[in-house]
Amino acid sequence: MNRLVATIIAASLSAGCASYHAVVKTGVEPGPRKVEDKWADSWAGGLVAPDAVDAEPGCGEDGVALIETKISFLNQLVSTLTLGIYSPMEIIVTCGSAEETGETQPEDGSDGG
């Protein structure tokens, strides 16, 4: 029985050492502002996805440059302790840069020609 318990603990700890990280790049130059949700509620091992993150209030007109999802050590620990029923994850949205990209548009709305 002790060997089974030791095996379960070792498997749980080794799963916690894994890194789950995904990045989506939109092509927009990243800026300094971020919208973060460190405990996005996910269920059934991630089969039930978390709610959408509303980045519009934080990013405004600058748009979204990067979207990252990852499972931290604490997220994995909680998932293990709940046997995967509750599987939180971290979602980070990096806003676009407010700086000019070098392209200029005439203020009068004409195409410049």
Side-chain angles (χ1 to χ4, degrees), residues 48-83:
V48 179
D51 292 334
V53 174
D54 186 11
E56 187 174 4
C59 294
E61 295 287 323
D62 298 332
V64 173
L66 294 169
I67 303 166
E68 298 177 73
T69 61
K70 55 184 164 182
I71 298 175
S72 69
F73 174 76
L74 289 176
N75 294 148
Q76 184 66 42
L77 180 64
V78 168
S79 181
T80 301
L81 292 175
T82 62
L83 303 175

Side-chain angles (χ1 to χ4, degrees), residues 1-88:
M1 183 68 170
N2 287 339
R3 190 174 205 164
L4 176 63
V5 171
T7 303
I8 292 172
I9 290 172
S12 297
L13 291 176
S14 66
C17 295
S19 176
Y20 304 99
H21 187 219
V23 178
V24 177
K25 296 180 180 181
T26 64
V28 176
E29 187 68 30
R33 291 177 296 159
K34 294 184 178 188
V35 177
E36 298 185 39
D37 187 354
K38 293 190 181 280
W39 290 90
D41 298 332
S42 176
W43 302 92
L47 292 176
V48 179
D51 292 334
V53 174
D54 186 11
E56 187 174 4
C59 294
E61 295 287 323
D62 298 332
V64 173
L66 294 169
I67 303 166
E68 298 177 73
T69 61
K70 55 184 164 182
I71 298 175
S72 69
F73 174 76
L74 289 176
N75 294 148
Q76 184 66 42
L77 180 64
V78 168
S79 181
T80 301
L81 292 175
T82 62
L83 303 175
I85 296 170
Y86 177 62
S87 309

